[in-house]
Amino acid sequence: KFIEFFGEGIRHLSLPDRATISNMSPEYGATATMFPIDDETLRYLRLSGRSAAQVDLVERYAKEQGLFWTSGNPDPAFDRIVDLDLSTVEPSLAGPRRPQDRVPLPQVGDSFRAAYPALFTPTAAREADAGPVPDGESAGERGAVATLAPERKAIDVRLGNQHVEMGHGSVAIAAITSCTNTSNPAVMVAAGLLAKKAVERGLTVSPAVKTSLAPGSRVVTGYLEKAGLIPYLDALRFHLVGYGCTTCIGNSGPLAEPVAEAVRENDLVVAAVLSGNRNFEGRIHSQVRASYLASPPLVVAFALAGTVDIDLTTEPLGEDPNGNPVFLRDLWPTTQEIQDAVTLAVTPDLFKERYGDVFSGDSFWQALPVPEGDLYRWDPDSTYVQEPPFFQDLKLDPPPITGITGARVLALVGDSVTTDHISPAGSIAAASPAGQYLIELGVQPREFNSYGTRRGNHEVMVRGTFANIRLRNQLAGGKEGGWTVHFPSGELTTIYDAATRYQAEGAPLLVIAGAEYGTGSSRDWAAKGTMLLGVRAVIAVSYERIHRSNLVGMGVLPLQFQPGEN
């Protein structure tokens, strides 16, 4: 649906809050979410350094078009109206696997135990094959298991001179990341104020937690510095690592080796808490199975707590140096404290200063050689950019459409297989087909970078399609990841290698899937990679609309089962 918010409550919502809500449209199933133009819009334009002439143009145009909202105006006519009682809004996270799975703050621990019941029963070791909640089955449907007696692991991990304890639910990554949340002054200042109060109470973050701060704009660090909050974030190890998407797309880098070893050897299910807006399986980090989306101040809070198996509304985050418990309610800044800091630190001059020469670039950008000519000159030795095969040997008159006969099934998957399962994202494993390809070209693993940075090389991307470490292809006999069985040989092999063999044999390929196939970010490579593997058709119970369109655009036929069939 296309959603537009309206009503008297809009007056109390800042423009950054509106932008955050709009950006989270996929989390509540919308195509787009809009707010009307009003005085708050004009105020933000002035705050962010727009000229008086620009603000005047926006105001006059919006009013002339009937798009400007003021209190008391008649409500617009909509196809459907959904009433939202603002008093029912509560602090929430989303996870541990999907952004649409909202979890009220008091129930985060319950949701973790419900999602991984085999870890929390006395017979967990004997029921290892129970596994996490299958695709298409909600955590709530398995929730009763979580009421059984927990089996809690306590693993001693040595990091330098410190000994820390880790177990199921331990926070391994706490990241203030993703540009929309991290361009919202209220939540960023709230995170800084919470860090300040925590430091003043003597709290620290365990060295086992990989912390990071990656705002979407240099303005953010400017106003955090002006508000005096950077030293407190630094004290909790939320150091600035860069600007833009990092952890939210799997670019957090490796865990500390002692932590990675503890996770590996004890099969720990550890968690990430991040202020991004996507947390599909395998996206955040290959060793971190659970991921929760949270506001920036809650990211700091869970970093302090060190676990998601907790109710932060009733249990303490930690103890002060005197052994007194410190609760979230003790640290949470008031609305007035946040507003005072924002008023002090967020000014038009800051936006003008940081964005005045934003298009000039630094010395590295300015020193880049720019080739001349109308056509791009492809470098056959580049491992980053190669000419894709989509338009090679393209004929003016397309050949006639042929039937799909003698096809083989490359993947047979369940419900809620996302574009994160299909399209390559995050780090490139050395043992993967993509990693082996780069090694053969002389690229060392430390220089792999990520799938996102190599998206201009189809040879890398096709090798990473359907290679997600959490993909559950039912043909692979329970083996997670990018595996399948080649028919008729019956050999278990990677999906890429199987597809290569099928193409050599002249066998067209199919993917068979359950409901909601292709949900998540609208990734073009989810369709491009599928086509390059030789898949001619996907047969699914239902599709995410945009991914279905992308399949059509790449010449892959998206078919649906008849009602009652799957």
Side-chain angles (χ1 to χ4, degrees):
K1 303 293 183 182
F2 285 75
I3 295 175
E4 180 173 342
F5 282 98
F6 71 100
E8 290 297 319
I10 283 179
R11 291 186 297 117
H12 306 287
L13 206 59
S14 72
L15 190 137
D17 284 344
R18 300 177 192 182
T20 302
I21 291 169
S22 292
N23 191 55
M24 304 298 269
S25 293
E27 281 68 12
Y28 43 87
T31 295
T33 304
M34 296 164 283
F35 287 85
I37 300 169
D38 62 359
D39 287 330
E40 168 62 16
T41 313
L42 303 180
R43 190 192 73 80
Y44 184 81
L45 290 174
R46 295 187 189 98
L47 174 68
S48 54
R50 268 68 169 192
S51 67
Q54 178 72 21
V55 177
D56 176 65
L57 175 63
V58 170
E59 181 177 12
R60 288 188 295 109
Y61 180 85
K63 287 180 175 178
E64 190 70 27
Q65 296 295 330
L67 297 174
F68 198 90
W69 181 86
T70 56
S71 181
N73 275 6
D75 292 332
F78 294 103
D79 293 333
R80 181 183 173 205
I81 293 176
V82 179
D83 289 318
L84 174 61
D85 181 352
L86 295 180
S87 71
T88 64
V89 176
E90 57 186 336
S92 301
L93 288 82
R97 291 193 189 89
R98 303 189 306 175
Q100 64 264 43
D101 293 335
R102 185 180 69 84
V103 184
L105 180 59
Q107 298 172 24
V108 171
D110 292 339
S111 73
F112 176 77
R113 292 190 293 275
Y116 303 96
L119 305 177
F120 291 90
T121 65
T123 54
R126 296 193 298 274
E127 297 175 357
D129 60 343
V133 179
D135 289 338
E137 182 175 338
S138 71
E141 292 170 318
R142 300 275 289 271
V145 184
T147 62
L148 298 176
E151 179 195 26
R152 297 184 182 273
K153 286 191 174 184
I155 308 301
D156 182 69
V157 179
R158 181 165 184 167
L159 288 154
N161 296 324
Q162 289 183 272
H163 284 267
V164 299
E165 196 174 271
M166 295 188 68
H168 296 310
S170 288
V171 175
I173 293 175
I176 300 176
T177 178
S178 180
C179 20
T180 308
N181 267 314
T182 55
S183 292
N184 186 330
V187 294
M188 291 303 291
V189 165
L193 289 171
L194 193 147
K196 180 175 185 289
K197 295 187 178 193
V199 171
E200 290 170 346
R201 289 294 298 269
L203 298 187
T204 59
V205 173
S206 165
V209 183
K210 184 163 192 172
T211 47
S212 60
L213 170 65
S217 165
R218 292 177 182 271
V219 170
V220 177
T221 42
Y223 63 64
L224 287 175
E225 288 168 357
K226 196 171 180 180
L229 298 176
I230 288 289
Y232 300 102
L233 289 164
D234 284 347
L236 298 182
R237 296 187 300 103
F238 280 93
H239 300 290
L240 177 70
V241 297
Y243 296 91
C245 290
T246 51
T247 299
C248 49
I249 193 57
N251 291 338
S252 63
L255 302 178
E257 185 48 40
V259 173
E261 183 180 348
V263 172
R264 210 166 35 237
E265 292 187 354
N266 299 280
D267 201 22
L268 293 181
V269 176
V270 293
V273 182
L274 64 149
S275 64
N277 54 9
R278 300 287 185 275
N279 60 335
F280 298 113
E281 285 187 294
R283 178 185 177 105
I284 306 304
H285 194 284
S286 60
Q287 289 188 290
V288 179
R289 294 185 70 100
S291 299
Y292 285 90
L293 307 180
S295 66
L298 281 179
V299 171
V300 177
F302 275 96
L304 291 163
T307 181
V308 295
D309 190 10
I310 190 172
D311 176 2
L312 289 187
T313 64
T314 60
E315 298 179 66
L317 290 164
E319 295 182 347
D320 66 17
N322 296 320
N324 299 313
V326 179
F327 293 87
L328 181 61
R329 59 179 175 267
D330 301 327
L331 306 181
W332 198 266
T334 65
T335 302
Q336 191 60 53
E337 287 174 322
I338 296 170
Q339 188 55 54
D340 289 346
V342 169
T343 302
L344 166 73
V346 185
T347 62
D349 290 342
L350 192 58
F351 283 88
K352 291 174 183 176
E353 173 194 339
R354 300 297 167 117
Y355 284 108
D357 61 349
V358 70
F359 294 112
S360 302
D362 60 14
S363 58
F364 296 102
W365 174 260
Q366 292 171 2
L368 285 175
V370 181
E372 297 179 357
D374 294 332
L375 296 176
Y376 182 80
R377 280 189 255 163
W378 302 100
D379 178 2
D381 296 324
S382 173
T383 59
Y384 278 95
V385 182
Q386 284 293 320
E387 184 177 9
F390 309 128
F391 303 112
Q392 292 176 0
D393 302 321
L394 198 64
K395 294 179 171 53
L396 191 60
D397 297 315
I401 294 174
T402 58
I404 301 173
T405 58
R408 296 289 188 184
V409 177
L410 185 65
L412 175 66
V413 294
D415 296 340
S416 299
V417 169
T418 69
T419 49
D420 272 39
H421 289 102
I422 307 166
S423 175
S427 59
I428 301 171
S432 69
Q436 291 298 299
Y437 166 77
L438 290 171
I439 288 172
E440 289 172 6
L441 294 178
V443 181
Q444 297 301 310
R446 68 177 181 274
E447 297 173 345
F448 278 1
N449 220 315
S450 66
Y451 282 111
T453 58
R454 293 190 182 271
R455 59 183 292 114
N457 186 343
H458 62 279
E459 296 287 3
V460 172
M461 299 301 281
V462 69
R463 286 166 170 79
T465 303
F466 288 110
N468 184 290
I469 58 169
R470 299 296 173 224
L471 181 73
R472 287 185 280 276
N473 182 1
Q474 296 172 24
L475 300 181
K479 187 177 177 68
E480 273 192 332
W483 299 91
T484 193
V485 168
H486 172 266
F487 295 102
S489 70
E491 180 184 344
L492 181 68
T493 184
T494 67
I495 283 179
Y496 173 75
D497 288 340
T500 302
R501 289 174 64 176
Y502 283 131
Q503 289 188 31
E505 296 160 2
L509 298 175
L510 305 175
V511 170
I512 300 180
E516 300 178 346
Y517 184 74
T519 57
S521 304
S522 172
R523 291 231 185 95
D524 56 343
W525 269 107
K528 289 177 180 176
T530 298
M531 185 274 278
L532 289 178
L533 286 173
V535 174
R536 295 282 306 280
V538 177
I539 310 173
V541 174
S542 62
Y543 292 85
E544 192 279 330
R545 177 181 58 81
I546 299 175
H547 180 62
R548 181 179 58 196
S549 297
N550 287 348
L551 289 174
V552 171
M554 294 309 300
V556 179
L557 186 62
L559 300 173
Q560 282 185 246
F561 288 104
Q562 294 290 339
E565 297 178 356
N566 58 41

